Amino acid sequence: MEIPKFCAITIAECDSNYLSRALELTRELKNEIEEKGNPVSIRFGILITGHRAGAMAFFQNYSTLSDFERSYEILQASPHYQTLFNCGAAKVASRNLVKFSPVEYEENLIVEAQYLVLTRVKTLGSMLPSINRLAPVFSKTGALTYRLGSIITGNNAGSELLGVSYKSMNQIETAYDLLADNLDYKDLLNNVTVKARNIVKLVSD
């Protein structure tokens, strides 16, 4: 699979009694964009931690912003999108773009990820050198993907976002057990400010 250069992240708040239907419509929307657009990949799920716990998260990966532009046009015209948001039970809370950095990591795209951990960090310089040094730690845990990007739109523009996907919560626990005693990780934390860390439960394809 092609390595994406951009990710569009949409967060939508949803009434709990509408969530099941909203996820069905989101799957239809995903299929429509994949059929008519040119995304590298699309995943979606539910935030299970943080102040927006229970909200839906929709991740669209692209090679170019032109591809995102085309998908946005498809999205706006989609009957699934209109049905999802015109009922009043769901609303878009945010949509932002992330530009990926060239992280050195051998991704496992065969196994389907069940969880995605997103860490948003405020930093004066890029975390890329530190993230590359920490890659073996995450590889040891079995992390499936390991991506760093700069947020280029919205209130948090300029911050960096680390996204790591896993097959299980046990792998997440192992990762942070290993990081607790890692000197590179401790050095990184001394030079950045972690603003948020959330877990997304991904919906299976």
Side-chain angles (χ1 to χ4, degrees):
M1 181 184 292
E2 185 179 0
I3 300 299
K5 294 182 180 178
F6 298 94
C7 183
I9 303 175
T10 303
I11 304 298
E13 296 175 339
C14 179
D15 292 349
S16 59
N17 58 1
Y18 184 67
L19 183 59
S20 178
R21 176 58 175 154
L23 290 173
E24 292 176 3
L25 290 167
T26 301
R27 183 182 297 281
E28 293 297 329
L29 182 60
K30 170 184 179 291
N31 293 340
E32 185 175 4
I33 294 173
E34 288 176 337
E35 179 182 346
K36 299 178 181 178
N38 190 34
V40 174
S41 63
I42 299 176
R43 293 297 306 269
F44 66 98
I46 303 169
L47 283 159
I48 60 175
T49 64
H51 73 282
R52 285 204 173 114
M56 296 188 301
F58 192 63
F59 305 92
Q60 305 170 72
N61 293 304
Y62 294 97
S63 295
T64 69
L65 288 181
S66 294
D67 289 334
F68 166 70
E69 180 182 24
R70 171 59 183 149
S71 290
Y72 186 72
E73 293 170 354
I74 295 168
L75 182 148
Q76 291 295 308
S78 169
H80 307 297
Y81 186 84
Q82 301 301 324
T83 302
L84 178 59
F85 292 111
N86 284 350
C87 69
K91 64 178 181 179
V92 174
S94 67
R95 179 180 290 117
N96 285 301
L97 290 169
V98 174
K99 186 178 187 302
F100 288 122
S101 300
V103 174
E104 298 169 4
Y105 193 79
E106 186 173 348
E107 298 187 338
N108 182 345
L109 301 177
I110 297 175
V111 177
E112 185 178 58
Q114 299 297 316
Y115 296 93
L116 177 64
V117 179
L118 298 171
T119 304
R120 177 167 54 85
V121 172
K122 185 175 182 180
T123 175
L124 295 177
S126 175
M127 293 195 298
L128 183 59
S130 295
I131 294 304
N132 279 330
R133 285 194 295 271
L134 290 169
V137 177
F138 287 89
S139 180
K140 186 176 181 179
T141 70
L144 303 174
T145 61
Y146 180 67
R147 296 174 181 173
L148 176 71
S150 297
I151 301 172
I152 60 176
T153 61
N155 294 336
N156 297 307
S159 294
E160 290 195 307
L161 188 69
L162 177 67
V164 187
S165 67
Y166 301 88
K167 183 180 179 181
S168 69
M169 291 286 279
N170 183 61
Q171 291 178 331
I172 297 173
E173 180 180 359
T174 300
Y176 287 95
D177 284 345
L178 292 174
L179 289 172
D181 296 321
N182 186 281
L183 294 180
D184 287 325
Y185 184 67
K186 290 179 179 179
D187 182 64
L188 175 62
L189 292 182
N190 286 332
N191 291 283
V192 303
T193 302
V194 175
K195 304 298 289 185
R197 178 176 289 120
N198 290 302
I199 300 176
V200 179
K201 176 66 176 74
L202 297 169
V203 174
S204 297
D205 287 336

